[in-house]
Structure formats: C-alpha cells, structure tokens
Amino acid sequence: MDNLRNLYQAVIMDHYHNPHNKGLKGYPKMHLKNPACGDDITIEAEVQDGVIKHINHQGNGCSICCASASMLCLLMEGKSVSFAKKEISKFYDLVQGKDGDYDSLGDANSLAGVAKFPARIRCATISWKALEMVLEGDVDEEKEI
Ligand code: ZN
C-alpha cells in the first residue's frame, strides 16, 4: 500500500514539475480562483466538430491543483466533448471517494487520495470545473469557486 501511495505521489509530482499543455494560446477560456487555497487557474479549449482540438492551462496553485490541470489537458486533448463531460463527472466521483471504474481517467487516478482531505477536493477539481464551463460556453470570465 505504501508503494502504491509513493507511486501516486510520484505521478502527481511529475505533472507538477513537468506540466503538459502549460501556456495559453488565445482559445476560449475560463479563469477560476479557489480563495481557500490560493489556487488560480485558467483553462482554455478549442472545440471543432465536437472534438477538443487544443486544451491548455495557466496559473498558480498548490501541487494538487497544478498537477490536476496537467492531467486534465493530457487526458482531454483530441477527445470528443461527450467523452470529456463523462470523464469530468467520473473525476468528481473519484475525488469524493465513490466506487466506480476509473481506468479511463488515466493519471488522474493518482488524485483519488484527496477524498480523505475534503478541503483539498476543490484544488483537484478546479481545472475540471473550468473546462466544464468552457464546454458549456461559459467563457472569458473570472469566478471564485
Ligand atoms: Zn490548492
């Protein structure tokens, strides 16, 4: 069990130190802040024909927030909007500790441990929430969650 936990921590720290898709390119975006932790993150996505062609993130936050944004981008790039919406809702279940089949979430499975730390759940979900809002057409605003 300890080895598994170490493995998960290594995945989180790898995304934190070597984030995927970092840096905005000017696509439709949503900027969210989590004042409880100081997380401040923007997710942008370009959707064409129901497919997320590009997705990037930018911002500052704790290791969980930044790693989660990187995992989100890695998972969603090139995928359909319907896949994305399904995986976002699965991820919310995962971090709340609900039972389920989460294999398709890939590296994001490493964040399952935040279920034991309710104050950190928002750190993990903030970027996923931002993408959800972009996909709903709720863009170019700044909000606190
Ligand atoms: Zn945080």
Side-chain angles (χ1 to χ4, degrees):
M1 200 55 204
D2 269 354
N3 281 341
L4 191 63
R5 199 160 56 218
N6 290 343
L7 176 70
Y8 280 169
Q9 272 173 0
V11 173
I12 292 169
M13 292 320 283
D14 188 43
H15 276 275
Y16 179 60
H17 290 299
N18 306 295
H20 294 262
N21 302 40
K22 186 154 188 187
L24 301 181
K25 304 266 168 43
Y27 302 121
K29 63 183 189 287
M30 173 52 79
H31 180 187
L32 291 181
K33 293 178 167 187
N34 168 15
C37 180
D39 300 324
D40 181 319
I41 197 115
T42 301
I43 295 288
E44 66 170 19
E46 185 190 39
V47 176
Q48 273 178 19
D49 302 325
V51 172
I52 300 171
K53 293 278 185 190
H54 299 281
I55 173 168
N56 300 301
H57 68 101
Q58 183 71 56
N60 296 296
C62 63
S63 55
I64 291 175
C65 165
C66 294
S68 181
S70 170
M71 292 169 189
L72 171 76
C73 292
L74 182 65
L75 179 66
M76 300 302 187
E77 194 169 57
K79 303 284 179 28
S80 71
V81 170
S82 59
F83 171 89
K85 289 184 174 173
K86 214 161 48 190
E87 297 308 304
I88 290 169
S89 110
K90 269 196 213 175
F91 182 71
Y92 294 160
D93 287 346
L94 172 79
V95 295
Q96 288 172 58
K98 295 183 186 166
D99 286 333
D101 178 0
Y102 299 116
D103 284 354
S104 55
L105 286 171
D107 286 357
N109 276 287
S110 62
L111 292 167
V114 301
K116 295 191 208 90
F117 306 93
R120 309 304 300 277
I121 292 176
R122 259 191 294 178
C123 302
T125 57
I126 186 168
S127 55
W128 299 65
K129 184 81 203 161
L131 175 61
E132 192 179 18
M133 292 165 99
V134 171
L135 295 178
E136 296 293 336
D138 193 0
V139 295
D140 288 325
E141 284 180 58
E142 184 178 305
K143 290 186 179 163
E144 290 194 350
I145 63 159

